[in-house]
Amino acid sequence: MALATEPKVTSQTTSTGRPKQPGVFRRIFRKKITIVAVAFLVIVALAAIFAPFIAPYKLNSPDLMAMLAPPSATHLMGTDDVGIDLFTEVLYGGRVSLTVGLLSALVAVLIGGTIGSLAGFFGGWVDEILMRLTDVGLSVPSLFIILGLTAVLGPSPVTIVEVISLTSWMYPARLIRSRILNLRTAEYVMAARMTGCSSARIIFVHIVPNAISPLIVNATLLVGQAIVLESVMSFLGAGIQPPHISWGFLLNQAQSYVTNAPWLAIFPGLMIFLVVLCFNVFGDAIRDALDARSA
Amino acid sequence: MPLFIIRRVLQAIPVIFGISLLLFFMMHAIPGGPLAMYEHQPGMTKELLAQLKANFGLNEPLWVQYWKWLGGAVTGNFGYSYTYGVPALHMVLQRLPATLELMVSSYIIAVIISFVIGVVSATKQYSFTDYTLTIFSYFGIAMPTFWVGLMVLVIFAADLHWFPAGGMSSSGIGFSLTDRIWHAVLPVSILAIYQIAHESRYVRSSMVDSLGEDYVRTARAKGLKNGKVVWKHALRNALLPVTTVMIMDGAYLFGGALITESIFSWPGMGRLFAQAISTDDYPVIMCEISLLSVIIILANILSDVLYAYMDPRVRYD
């Protein structure tokens, strides 16, 4: 439960009900650390997208003369047990790790956003049922459910995205619901209603744009969480399977050689750590930028 | 208060119902269903399988099956492990003490350290110490537990030989407390790191809030020692929001234990679960998920009740 975001987020309604217009982007990048974090994420993403052009070696071409070779000028991150260049594998692994992370977060936010808005808009028994459903989601041991479901359904990148998003939508749902409950009675919404705006106009023009910003913050943090979840699954052998590779899968493979080839475990883990760290920094920066109190 | 507890327990019923539906769905999604174990036995024929299906009541309507499954689950009948042929519940409960040892020790350590870090950060807000501790917690939250575990294992166990690489005790020397502690140091620290990183942030922000309150200034104004103001007056009020987080974290610690136990070959529930996953031992998987769900629901209720008890502003009518 990432409760940390809650107190700040609720204070975001200004008296006009609009997020502060000027310079949101400038406020996000107010701190240098945020620029560094986002630049790093962009570089990693580009490196993953253009992996076939950047990678110094072909993905599945073992160099039998250099098995378990330590990092050097020819093999930047060393090689694995059959002599495959680790830097190449990390580049390709990034594709799966990042895609799974981004997609899971996106799906989770879409599910959570829909459920939360329905509950908030309609209230009554719809709200009651949907919120109980959310409680169910919050009361399950999510890591165990994720592993159990993949064991039952069989691991594939699609299943992994499904199970991760199925266990991460609850927080966004609660977030958006409480935002909408607040906004429904906000003065500017009442004013809009008084001037004769239709319900649809109030929902889509007045409420949704204002309710969506905490969701963006949450989505950013969810990407990091999803990347970690995928890597945990793959590390425990229940996630990504060959021919796909991800950073977590590389760590799973590294386990057996951890004493004589520690670089196999260091680099993929470092990538996960840095990417998650940067997503967290980025998410916090967006939150601070959208928070009226800290302006 | 008793009414509040009763209401809170009653509210948990639809939640438990929902979870049981989810688990039932999972049982049915299992390849081969509950008969998977028998399908691959030598001499199994289609007729025999159909006979078994009828015996197990698997051709009855779904809701009847659900009802029977629920009845079994409530009385602790989660079926037999595919791998070992013993009752799943028995296997899980056998592993529980090892996991509890790991969880309880790391939990206690983590809570104490979180409080110290959080309070120190809050009293020295925006100081060098505060920034250092903030960076530490940022790192602690972003570092995947299993990776830290792996790294620690390489450095302290494989390389420096300061600590054993896994297991709960050395074999063949009988029980020795120092040996047990020596084995527990690495896994307990790994399990505690994330919790410290996470909770110290809550303690800090809660302390920052309560240190800004008027009554704290009053206490200072009447000449109380700083230590007493911080640790007695301010901390007591800052405890409130933190307690809920800490109780829920305790329940979620099972997830961390799953990872830590797998890395350090700690013979607990988490490792059992990881093994069950890799051998498709579905009854054990289902049994463990069911038990943990119940534990998390109980922790949920406990934290709500405790919150209501500690905070007079919460009405429980």
Side-chain angles (χ1 to χ4, degrees), chain B residues 155-164 182 186:
Chain B
I155 298 169
F156 294 104
D159 216 39
L160 297 172
H161 294 288
W162 287 358
F163 299 102
W182 193 48
L186 290 185

Side-chain angles (χ1 to χ4, degrees), chain A residues 1-2 100-101 103-113 134 137-138 140 142-143 145-146 160-175 215 218-219 221-227 229-230:
Chain A
M1 292 209 320
V100 167
L103 275 183
S104 310
L106 186 72
V107 176
V109 166
L110 283 180
I111 300 175
T134 312
L138 284 170
V140 294
S142 47
L143 183 57
I145 291 275
I146 285 178
I160 293 168
V161 171
E162 279 169 7
V163 294
I164 292 180
S165 44
L166 269 177
T167 49
S168 328
W169 59 269
M170 294 80 70
Y171 191 67
R174 281 194 167 181
L175 207 62
L215 214 55
N218 192 252
L221 301 174
L222 274 180
V223 177
Q225 282 178 31
I227 291 177
L229 274 178
E230 181 277 315

